[in-house]
């Protein structure tokens, strides 16, 4: 499973990228606003830092404007994936932009039916939002499993990009289901390294190291 980091904060991307943990980046208008930076400036910086796809989202609601914005965003760098919302206009924009050979990430997906439409419109990525479904007591991981089954049934090439990930558990469950990509905040990716028994075991080793005066350097 590929890891995308879900942020527009350069320092967070750089830290994980240096460890080989970043296969791509996703941003959205809320993350760009949170960064306080100009969308073109920060997106160009991310694209220069990371080799894989960098999702940059359109801000209009009509298909024609989304297409124009998508072309402008795609001109930032060859690794831009234009992000469009899963609306009828977004699907129209997806079809045009993907026919032009651009990567398109269809976002705000909350149902299997929406995911089928995105695949038929030529999406490179479909972004089902796990956490926001969990928030309303609908099983977000089940949606990932349903889309996996449907895409495999028909050989759709659209990659499942599990989004709105809130916990380290979401990451391993997505990997078990077979999501192609999971995008998560840097804090969630770092939390994957934590285990209470690792902490407990290390504390025991450190106590014995101190008692025995073991030194290597
Ligand atoms: C990524 O593409 C999505 O925009 C993001 O994962 C949404 O996450 P949130 O539901 O935590 O805002």
């Amino acid at each position: 499973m590929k890891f995308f980091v879900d942020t527009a904060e350069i320092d967070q991307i750089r830290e994980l990228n240096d460890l080989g943990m970043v296969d791509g980046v996703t941003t959205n208008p809320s993350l760009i606003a949170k960064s306080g930076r100009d969308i073109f400036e920060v997106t160009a910086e991310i694209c220069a830092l990371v080799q894989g796809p960098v999702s940059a989202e359109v801000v209009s609601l009509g298909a024609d404007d989304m297409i124009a914005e998508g072309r402008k965003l795609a001109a930032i760098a060859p690794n831009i994936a234009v992000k469009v919302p899963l609306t009828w206009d977004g699907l129209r924009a997806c079809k045009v932009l993907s026919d032009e050979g651009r990567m398109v990430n269809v976002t705000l997906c909350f149902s299997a039916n929406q995911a089928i439409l995105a695949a038929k419109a030529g999406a490179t990525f479909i972004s089902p939002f796990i956490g926001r479904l969990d928030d309303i007591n609908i099983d977000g991981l089940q949606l990932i499993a349903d889309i996996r089954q449907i895409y495999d049934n028909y050989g759709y090439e659209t990659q499942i990009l599990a989004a709105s990930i809130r916990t380290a558990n979401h990451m391993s469950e997505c990997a078990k289901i077979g999501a192609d990509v999971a995008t998560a905040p840097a804090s969630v990716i770092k939390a994957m390294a934590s285990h209470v028994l690792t902490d407990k075991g290390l504390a025991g080793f450190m106590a014995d190291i101190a008692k025995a005066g073991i030194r290597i350097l």
Side-chain angles (χ1 to χ4, degrees):
M1 186 173 73
K2 290 179 194 150
F3 279 17
F4 288 4
V5 60
D6 196 24
T7 185
E9 304 298 330
I10 296 291
D11 289 349
Q12 294 179 10
I13 297 167
R14 185 178 288 114
E15 183 189 358
L16 290 170
N17 196 44
D18 286 350
L19 283 174
M21 304 277 180
V22 177
D23 301 304
V25 172
T26 50
T27 66
N28 63 35
S30 303
L31 294 171
I32 296 290
K34 193 173 163 200
S35 78
R37 304 212 27 215
D38 171 74
I39 183 170
F40 288 97
E41 189 189 282
V42 72
T43 305
E45 218 174 300
I46 297 169
C47 288
L49 189 62
V50 169
Q51 284 198 327
V54 174
S55 291
E57 189 160 344
V58 300
V59 295
S60 290
L61 295 176
D64 290 344
D65 285 342
M66 284 190 216
I67 292 163
E69 288 175 0
R71 288 175 180 149
K72 201 169 167 189
L73 290 168
I76 294 173
N79 54 336
I80 285 285
V82 178
K83 209 171 173 191
V84 299
L86 211 156
T87 59
W88 201 249
D89 280 273
L91 292 169
R92 287 173 58 205
C94 173
K95 176 76 175 125
V96 170
L97 293 167
S98 59
D99 281 353
E100 290 175 354
R102 306 180 200 281
M103 287 189 284
V104 181
N105 175 359
V106 180
T107 190
L108 289 168
C109 171
F110 294 94
S111 76
N113 276 332
Q114 290 180 315
I116 294 169
L117 293 178
K120 292 189 85 69
T124 316
F125 302 104
I126 181 70
S127 289
F129 277 34
I130 298 175
R132 294 192 197 187
L133 282 170
D134 288 352
D135 289 345
I136 58 164
N137 293 319
I138 295 173
D139 185 355
L141 287 165
Q142 185 58 50
L143 175 59
I144 303 295
D146 290 346
I147 299 171
R148 179 74 284 153
Q149 184 187 339
I150 291 166
Y151 279 11
D152 288 350
N153 282 349
Y154 298 101
Y156 290 131
E157 288 178 5
T158 300
Q159 295 180 52
I160 301 173
L161 196 175
S164 188
I165 284 182
R166 305 273 165 77
T167 64
N169 189 49
H170 277 156
M171 294 295 277
S172 47
E173 289 301 320
C174 283
K176 277 156 68 179
I177 291 165
D180 299 288
V181 189
T183 189
S187 58
V188 171
I189 294 173
K190 288 171 103 171
M192 292 170 72
S194 296
H195 198 286
V196 65
L197 291 179
T198 305
D199 296 343
K200 192 177 168 195
L202 193 55
F205 290 153
M206 293 312 289
D208 290 340
I209 288 164
K211 215 183 303 168
I214 303 169
R215 291 187 61 155
I216 296 176
L217 294 178

